[in-house]
Amino acid sequence: MKGFKNFIMQGNVIDLAVGVVIGSAFTALIKAFVDHLIQPVINVAGGTNVTGLAYEIIDGKESTTVDFAAIISAIIAFLITAAVVYFIFVLPIAKARAFDRKRRGLPEADEDPVAEDVALLTEIRDLLKAQQISER
């Protein structure tokens, strides 16, 4: 039971739970914004047709309707969500981590860390090149 308590109390699990709750609330907000503000504006491009940018493949059969406005709205909702998540969460956290590393005197984190075996092979290669140059 103690192990389970330690697992639950880890910061990562709690952060994940908070992220899921905030993400679902934020998704509902963006969906309402897109469905009730952006999609009606997109539907204007469809003219006086009540369905806007929708197209019925078979006239009179609603199940064959292709709604281009809904697709465009979903793309816009995705882009808005991605932009807000990046600028509100990802970017500030990355800056805070960089500031913390700088404050503690740690080197900046490499974007693409080199695997230990690759670094070792690179060092061996450089040493062999240096040895060949000194033998000449």
Side-chain angles (χ1 to χ4, degrees):
M1 197 65 170
K2 183 179 179 183
F4 180 72
K5 180 182 175 190
N6 290 340
F7 171 73
I8 293 298
M9 296 308 291
Q10 282 180 342
N12 294 342
V13 175
I14 294 171
D15 292 344
L16 180 63
V18 170
V20 168
V21 170
I22 289 175
S24 63
F26 184 70
T27 300
L29 175 70
I30 294 298
K31 183 176 179 356
F33 174 75
V34 170
D35 288 348
H36 301 291
L37 182 65
I38 293 179
Q39 188 163 358
V41 172
I42 293 171
N43 284 340
V44 170
T48 58
N49 183 356
V50 177
T51 59
L53 289 177
Y55 174 75
E56 280 187 359
I57 297 172
I58 299 174
D59 285 333
K61 198 168 187 180
E62 193 174 314
S63 64
T64 64
T65 301
V66 178
D67 191 356
F68 294 108
I71 295 169
I72 294 169
S73 295
I75 292 169
I76 292 171
F78 171 76
L79 293 174
I80 290 171
T81 303
V84 170
V85 166
Y86 178 76
F87 289 110
I88 302 265
F89 298 109
V90 174
L91 193 60
I93 289 173
K95 286 186 179 184
R97 285 182 178 160
F99 176 75
D100 183 52
R101 292 184 70 77
K102 184 177 180 182
R103 181 183 59 82
R104 293 189 306 168
L106 299 173
E108 291 185 21
D110 291 336
E111 300 240 348
D112 296 324
V114 178
E116 187 176 332
D117 57 344
V118 173
L120 183 59
L121 288 171
T122 304
E123 186 178 337
I124 292 170
R125 180 200 64 201
D126 294 343
L127 288 172
L128 287 172
K129 280 184 183 178
Q131 184 181 13
Q132 287 177 348
I133 292 173
S134 65
E135 289 177 358
R136 292 182 187 176

